[in-house]
Amino acid sequence: SDVCSSDLKLEEARREYQEKAQQLSKARQEKALELEKALMRELVPLKLEQVSFSAQFDTWTEDNWSPNGYDRVEFYVQTNPGTPEGPMSSIASGGELSRLMLALKVVLVQSGAVPTLIFDEIESGTGGAVAAAMGERLKALSKSLQVLAITHSPQIASHGTQHLIVFKEVKGGVTTAHMKELTTKDRNEEVARMLAGQEITDEARAAARKLMGAGK
């Protein structure tokens, strides 16, 4: 009798869980469609207009059910028309993945009150016009919240309204890290250094001034 009662309670709990998990899954799939549409809009200015994005849903076996439901969700992309679709982490190149992550963060931040976004070398795997497009998107994003970008890209750095440089000093065998705010002249000089390397030429300085002007 006790065993029978226990089995009935277990079956009742299983049915209740499945009902709640199904409701959660339906809500997730509805939001996933909204995410797909919003992300596709963000990919255009990042020069990924040929990329398609989707959220793929699978149902976990009962052994993997959890308080988070029974959904297994994975982001899939098709990077070029006619090429196979696959998991974003394995299909996208380094540069594509950087831009996809930027687009995802931009979309997701619009759904909540996040005061600051920090990007650490978001330009990884990109350069030139693509990095410039990412800089432009970060600049636009900074109008609605604070954006902190740690970067080695002159195209991205040129869009900043404030620049801080991090450097190390060794004294008495001890290494310490320091940070200082750059003046307008120093900002141009650092962008020129990014463009030319350690030896800064007049041509690099002129290119930096032009790039800084374009980023405003």
Side-chain angles (χ1 to χ4, degrees):
S1 176
D2 290 342
V3 173
C4 183
S5 175
S6 177
D7 289 343
L8 287 174
K9 289 180 179 179
L10 180 61
E11 186 58 34
E12 182 181 351
R14 181 182 287 106
R15 285 198 303 267
E16 184 177 357
Y17 175 89
Q18 288 177 310
E19 180 182 342
K20 298 296 184 183
Q22 185 178 32
Q23 293 172 359
L24 179 59
S25 182
K26 182 180 178 181
R28 280 181 174 145
Q29 293 184 50
E30 290 173 353
K31 286 297 180 181
L33 291 175
E34 294 179 18
L35 175 63
E36 290 171 12
K37 292 177 182 177
L39 189 69
M40 293 300 292
R41 288 193 296 269
E42 281 296 326
L43 295 182
V44 175
L46 294 175
K47 303 186 184 300
L48 288 175
E49 58 272 10
Q50 298 296 322
V51 172
S52 66
F53 170 90
S54 64
Q56 303 286 343
F57 284 76
D58 288 321
T59 302
W60 288 112
T61 61
E62 187 170 344
D63 290 343
N64 292 300
W65 287 359
S66 76
N68 296 319
Y70 57 39
D71 289 320
R72 178 180 182 274
V73 186
E74 191 167 15
F75 291 157
Y76 271 57
V77 296
Q78 181 186 43
T79 54
N80 292 290
T83 60
E85 182 183 49
M88 185 170 73
S89 58
S90 59
I91 292 293
S93 67
E96 290 166 341
L97 191 59
S98 294
R99 285 176 282 167
L100 283 163
M101 292 307 298
L102 173 57
L104 270 171
K105 287 187 177 184
V106 169
V107 170
L108 294 175
V109 78
Q110 293 170 356
S111 64
V114 178
T116 303
L117 278 180
I118 300 175
F119 296 96
D120 187 0
E121 296 188 30
I122 190 67
E123 76 279 1
S124 177
T126 69
V130 172
M134 296 178 77
E136 290 169 4
R137 193 63 194 89
L138 291 172
K139 179 71 173 180
L141 189 60
S142 71
K143 294 179 180 178
S144 56
L145 48 83
Q146 184 184 49
V147 175
L148 176 61
I150 303 165
T151 183
H152 293 285
S153 166
Q155 288 86 358
I156 288 183
S158 66
H159 287 277
T161 54
Q162 181 185 31
H163 291 85
L164 304 171
I165 185 171
V166 178
F167 60 97
K168 294 179 180 179
E169 285 185 347
V170 180
K171 290 184 178 180
V174 178
T175 302
T176 55
H178 302 269
M179 179 185 294
K180 71 173 182 178
E181 184 176 2
L182 299 179
T183 64
T184 299
K185 180 181 178 181
D186 288 339
R187 290 164 66 186
N188 288 334
E189 198 76 356
E190 284 302 320
V191 172
R193 191 185 308 280
M194 289 180 177
L195 288 166
Q198 195 61 34
E199 185 176 345
I200 305 174
T201 63
D202 290 339
E203 290 80 3
R205 290 187 175 94
R209 286 193 297 270
K210 184 177 180 180
L211 197 58
M212 291 288 286
K216 299 298 172 271

